[in-house]
Amino acid sequence: MSTTDVGNFRSLATERQSAAEHEALATSATTEGPAWSNMKAPDARSQQSAAVAVTNGQRALKVFLSNPNALFGTGFLAFVILVALTAPILYPDDPLSMVGRPFLWPGQSPAYPLGTDSLGRDVLAGILHGSRISLFVGLMATALGLTFGVLVGSTAGYFGGWIDDLLVRLIEIFQTLPSFVLLVVLVAIAQPSATTVTLAIAVISWPTVARLTRAEFRAIREKDFVVAARSLGYGHARIIFREILPNALPPIIVTSSVMVATAILMESALSFMGLGDPNVVSWGSMIGTGRELVRTAWYLTALPGLAIVFTVLALNLIGDGLNDALNPRFSQDR
């Protein structure tokens, strides 16, 4: 075999080997799918996260709607909100005004379906207007407590170090003081009003939210998606509020329902003790007014007391339903 033949043979072998490698690469590309053409991985990850969030949200809503206790609580709370909104329309006059003969029992007079108290005030009007104060204090105190507690807890849990130590000491100072005693002192120092009671309840309720938020942030801050966000140069505010906080919201949402119920109970207790707003009627003040007449006119304390019981029960049932729906472990079991 000549040198020319040997060269031609080697060239032919090289061409066949190149063709085989090209065919293998084409087959692999067909099997594995097209090459990744979009190099913006964070955008793709956010789209996948959004799809997963929608799926989880639909599943949580399905679990919540399948819970009869949660539906009962939601329905009753909606009824209380409707009553609070329509109270000025149904009873436009001052609920503290004397409109009838004292000590009319429920059903005794069509004009006063739930009777009158010792001063001749309409009990039904008081209950309807009292729902406005209870819901206002409960929702506003919870909103303020959640806002401050989430800010403190997220800052402590995310940054750690001396910032965490300083904020934890601040939380512990508030938690070492008896909550209700601190509430009474704060309201007694200031002039009793609905705004003062709301701010005082918010002051004693934020440490619980702060500790819960801190614990959630400490558990999430080392996750892969947070590390990826840091590597992409995202700022601390974006990582806290757009990356970590949405994943820490489920337990905070469940806690908020319990906080509303607790705030309503605290406001009722303050009004019962005479530390509520004297210019408005509330369920607690109605119970406090009728406590001396329990044996002779028990309905004066029983009716507003039942309103408090069922409202707080509804909020607790909603909290249990949210816990079942938003807890990943319970959701996977279903």
Side-chain angles (χ1 to χ4, degrees), residues 231-312:
S231 64
L232 291 172
Y234 291 166
H236 296 307
R238 176 167 181 172
I239 296 176
I240 291 175
F241 294 107
R242 297 188 60 180
E243 300 292 338
I244 303 180
L245 184 58
N247 293 277
L249 276 180
I252 298 175
I253 294 175
V254 175
T255 304
S256 64
S257 63
V258 181
M259 290 176 61
V260 175
T262 304
I264 292 176
L265 288 175
M266 288 185 175
E267 186 278 330
S268 300
L270 289 175
S271 299
F272 177 82
M273 298 171 59
L275 294 175
D277 192 341
N279 299 318
V280 297
V281 61
S282 66
W283 292 338
S285 63
M286 294 178 67
I287 296 175
T289 303
R291 62 183 172 181
E292 297 179 356
L293 304 169
V294 173
R295 294 184 178 181
T296 57
W298 55 265
Y299 65 93
L300 296 178
T301 56
L303 295 178
L306 288 175
I308 296 174
V309 168
F310 281 106
T311 303
V312 172

Side-chain angles (χ1 to χ4, degrees), residues 7-333:
N8 292 335
F9 180 76
R10 289 180 177 178
S11 300
L12 181 60
T14 303
E15 292 177 358
R16 289 181 178 179
Q17 183 177 1
S18 300
E21 292 177 354
H22 180 73
E23 183 178 358
L25 290 174
T27 304
S28 175
T30 304
T31 304
E32 297 178 359
W36 179 255
S37 58
N38 188 359
M39 298 304 295
K40 297 180 180 180
D43 296 339
R45 184 184 61 205
S46 62
Q47 293 176 1
Q48 293 177 355
S49 300
V52 172
V54 171
T55 304
N56 292 337
Q58 293 176 350
R59 182 175 57 195
L61 180 62
K62 181 179 178 181
V63 173
F64 184 82
L65 294 178
S66 63
N67 190 334
N69 295 330
L71 291 180
F72 171 78
T74 304
F76 188 84
L77 183 61
F79 172 74
V80 174
I81 294 175
L82 179 63
V83 165
L85 293 176
T86 57
I89 301 174
L90 298 176
Y91 291 93
D93 298 331
D94 186 2
L96 294 175
S97 60
M98 296 177 285
V99 295
R101 183 167 60 88
F103 295 114
L104 288 176
W105 278 69
Q108 187 175 351
S109 174
Y112 313 107
L114 297 183
T116 58
D117 62 3
S118 59
L119 298 178
R121 296 174 295 193
D122 192 351
V123 175
L124 180 57
I127 291 177
L128 295 184
H129 281 269
S131 63
R132 299 171 59 86
I133 298 300
S134 296
L135 290 179
F136 170 78
V137 173
L139 294 177
M140 290 302 299
T142 300
L144 294 175
L146 280 176
T147 302
F148 191 70
V150 167
L151 289 177
V152 174
S154 60
T155 303
Y158 177 76
F159 290 102
W162 67 269
I163 298 178
D164 184 23
D165 295 337
L166 179 62
L167 293 178
V168 167
R169 296 298 177 271
L170 177 63
I171 295 172
E172 290 176 349
I173 290 174
F174 279 89
Q175 288 194 319
T176 53
L177 300 174
S179 299
F180 191 73
V181 174
L182 179 60
L183 176 63
V184 171
V185 171
L186 292 176
V187 175
I189 293 175
Q191 183 179 1
S193 63
T195 303
T196 303
V197 172
T198 301
L199 293 176
I201 294 176
V203 167
I204 68 171
S205 61
W206 72 266
T208 303
V209 183
R211 292 190 72 92
L212 176 62
T213 306
R214 174 181 174 270
E216 291 294 324
F217 268 67
R218 286 177 62 88
I220 298 175
R221 68 180 182 181
E222 300 300 334
K223 298 291 185 180
D224 293 339
F225 66 92
V226 179
V227 176
R230 290 198 191 99
S231 64
L232 291 172
Y234 291 166
H236 296 307
R238 176 167 181 172
I239 296 176
I240 291 175
F241 294 107
R242 297 188 60 180
E243 300 292 338
I244 303 180
L245 184 58
N247 293 277
L249 276 180
I252 298 175
I253 294 175
V254 175
T255 304
S256 64
S257 63
V258 181
M259 290 176 61
V260 175
T262 304
I264 292 176
L265 288 175
M266 288 185 175
E267 186 278 330
S268 300
L270 289 175
S271 299
F272 177 82
M273 298 171 59
L275 294 175
D277 192 341
N279 299 318
V280 297
V281 61
S282 66
W283 292 338
S285 63
M286 294 178 67
I287 296 175
T289 303
R291 62 183 172 181
E292 297 179 356
L293 304 169
V294 173
R295 294 184 178 181
T296 57
W298 55 265
Y299 65 93
L300 296 178
T301 56
L303 295 178
L306 288 175
I308 296 174
V309 168
F310 281 106
T311 303
V312 172
L313 177 62
L315 289 168
N316 282 300
L317 292 177
I318 293 174
D320 292 340
L322 290 174
N323 185 36
D324 294 344
L326 298 177
N327 193 323
R329 180 166 57 86
F330 290 128
S331 299
Q332 291 175 1
D333 292 341

